[in-house]
Amino acid sequence: MKQKLPLPLWTIAAPILAWVAYFGMSLDLGNLYAIILAAALIGGVLAAVHHAEVVAHQVGEPYGTLLLALAITVIEVALIVSLMLTGGPETAALARDTVLAAVMIILTGIIGMCLLVGGARFKEQVFSLQGVSAALVTLTAIMVLTLILPNYTTSRQGPEYSPIQLGFVAIISLVLYGTFVLVQAVRHRDFFLPPEADGDEDVHADPPGKKVALLSTLLLLVCLGIVVLLAKALAPDIENAVLNAGAPKSLVGVIIAAVVLLPEGLAAYRAARKNRLQTSLNLALGSALASIGLTIPAVAIVSMVTGMTITLGIDMKSTVLLLLSQFTIMLSLATGRTNILQGVVLLVIFAVYLFTIIAP
């Protein structure tokens, strides 16, 4: 009698094949090998989503979404720092471009898609207003301090912080993010718990068990690790494709952020389709907070250790779109109920953001 695997076979095979493809780069099989690497990257991302959902089901909310947000941010930080250290002064704005892209993708792209899909399928969806408000007020403060304020300080010319300012803002970012995690996971955990959905089998299904959850945790780390390495390996091809197409170099940051956020975006989308909007918002807003609240301090440390100049301040066009996105999100999530309209508005802002990068 055959013994049943604790997890679907493809979720185990995908990361293994991705690692094989990565080490196969040493064979120098030509430009077409980039397509194989891209396919391996997508397989690793899909497997990561599955394992993250298994772990989230075992540990419960909001710990599951917090775990995935932190894992995704580790990928982003590792990728940005490695590209900065190997790219030299030309990557001074990479952290800014990637963090801005991550926040815009999450606030307008991922949340917009979740609201659109949920509204189309269920007409209205509900969530905990207290948890979303806590996330948004923290995100607003960190965004302004890290991406907008550098344009108006006078210690240095240009959109840069001086070393002492950069260190102070890094500490402030960690304090704000740490306080949010304390509120989310300990003091006000009930603010982030989704309402029970009677028709949702996933909510009432038995947890997968500690052994399966542990296996999924290990495989999740394996998946996230190979996603970082493959994204880094594909970065030169992405940059060359962007430059050959005549697009601005800032588009590279958007593509990197999109690749890194793909596991979280898919998980949030699937949750919205199952009428679990609270889980989608926990994933999206938690990831935005982790992305900006942890990436900026990590980049600040690299800057102070290496002496590398870091450009953080965004231009006026990006400032307008960022503030418009945050204002629209606050209005959209102000009542505890959402419908298809908010999703369409957010996706339109996301389309404008992408269009103005390509055609500034």
Side-chain angles (χ1 to χ4, degrees):
M1 187 175 179
K2 291 183 178 180
Q3 187 174 3
K4 187 178 179 181
L5 290 173
L7 293 165
L9 179 60
W10 72 269
T11 65
I12 301 173
I16 295 174
L17 293 175
W19 278 98
V20 171
Y22 175 74
F23 287 113
M25 289 173 55
S26 59
L27 299 177
D28 195 16
L29 299 177
N31 294 331
L32 289 178
Y33 198 69
I35 299 175
I36 297 176
L37 294 179
L41 176 62
I42 293 172
V45 165
L46 294 175
V49 172
H50 179 86
H51 295 305
E53 290 182 339
V54 171
V55 175
H57 193 187
Q58 174 65 27
V59 301
E61 288 294 334
Y63 303 115
T65 54
L66 177 62
L67 175 65
L68 182 56
L70 290 174
I72 296 299
T73 304
V74 169
I75 291 180
E76 184 179 359
V77 170
L79 191 55
I80 291 174
V81 170
S82 62
L83 291 175
M84 284 175 57
L85 293 176
T86 56
E90 294 182 0
T91 60
L94 178 64
R96 177 199 66 187
D97 293 341
T98 306
V99 167
L100 174 63
V103 172
M104 289 298 295
I105 288 171
I106 291 167
L107 291 183
T108 58
I110 293 177
I111 294 181
M113 181 59 67
C114 290
L115 299 188
L116 177 64
V117 169
R121 194 166 189 183
F122 303 102
K123 292 190 177 180
E124 277 194 346
Q125 290 181 298
V126 297
F127 57 90
S128 169
L129 191 57
Q130 297 99 319
V132 168
S133 297
L136 287 176
V137 71
T138 311
L139 182 61
T140 302
I142 297 180
M143 283 194 318
V144 172
L145 291 174
T146 56
L147 296 178
I148 297 177
L149 185 60
N151 292 318
Y152 301 99
T153 54
T154 56
S155 296
R156 276 197 175 182
Q157 260 189 331
E160 301 170 5
Y161 277 134
S162 66
I164 191 170
Q165 290 173 332
L166 187 61
F168 180 74
V169 169
I171 293 172
I172 291 299
S173 298
L174 288 174
V175 168
L176 288 171
Y177 181 70
T179 306
F180 172 77
V181 171
L182 177 66
V183 168
Q184 183 185 34
V186 181
R187 293 188 65 88
H188 297 287
R189 179 171 174 258
D190 54 310
F191 288 176
F192 301 87
L193 296 178
E196 292 294 317
D198 294 335
D200 187 356
E201 295 179 0
D202 288 348
V203 171
H204 302 285
D206 293 330
K210 292 183 179 180
K211 290 184 179 180
V212 176
L214 179 60
L215 178 59
S216 278
T217 301
L218 295 175
L219 288 171
L220 175 61
L221 296 176
V222 171
C223 290
L224 295 179
I226 193 58
V227 166
V228 172
L229 294 175
L230 288 176
K232 183 180 178 182
L234 289 169
D237 295 318
I238 294 172
E239 185 171 347
N240 291 334
V242 168
L243 295 178
N244 292 336
K249 197 172 181 179
S250 57
L251 186 60
V252 176
V254 177
I255 296 172
I256 290 174
V259 170
V260 171
L261 291 171
L262 189 54
E264 199 137 43
L266 288 174
Y269 170 81
R270 291 172 64 172
R273 279 183 56 86
K274 296 173 182 176
N275 203 20
R276 293 161 59 193
L277 184 61
Q278 182 67 53
T279 300
S280 295
L281 294 176
N282 286 350
L283 278 165
L285 294 175
S287 181
L289 278 165
S291 177
I292 194 168
L294 296 179
T295 300
I296 297 300
V299 169
I301 292 172
V302 172
S303 172
M304 289 183 284
V305 170
T306 63
M308 187 183 301
T309 300
I310 301 297
T311 302
L312 286 181
I314 56 179
D315 58 24
M316 186 55 66
K317 177 200 70 176
S318 299
T319 301
V320 170
L321 287 174
L322 182 62
L323 294 179
L324 173 62
S325 302
Q326 188 70 355
F327 181 67
T328 306
I329 279 283
M330 286 182 170
L331 290 179
S332 300
L333 304 179
T335 63
R337 290 180 174 273
T338 62
N339 57 55
I340 194 173
L341 176 61
Q342 290 102 323
V344 171
V345 172
L346 290 172
L347 287 174
V348 166
I349 296 174
F350 181 57
V352 171
Y353 166 69
L354 293 179
F355 179 77
T356 52
I357 288 178
I358 298 171

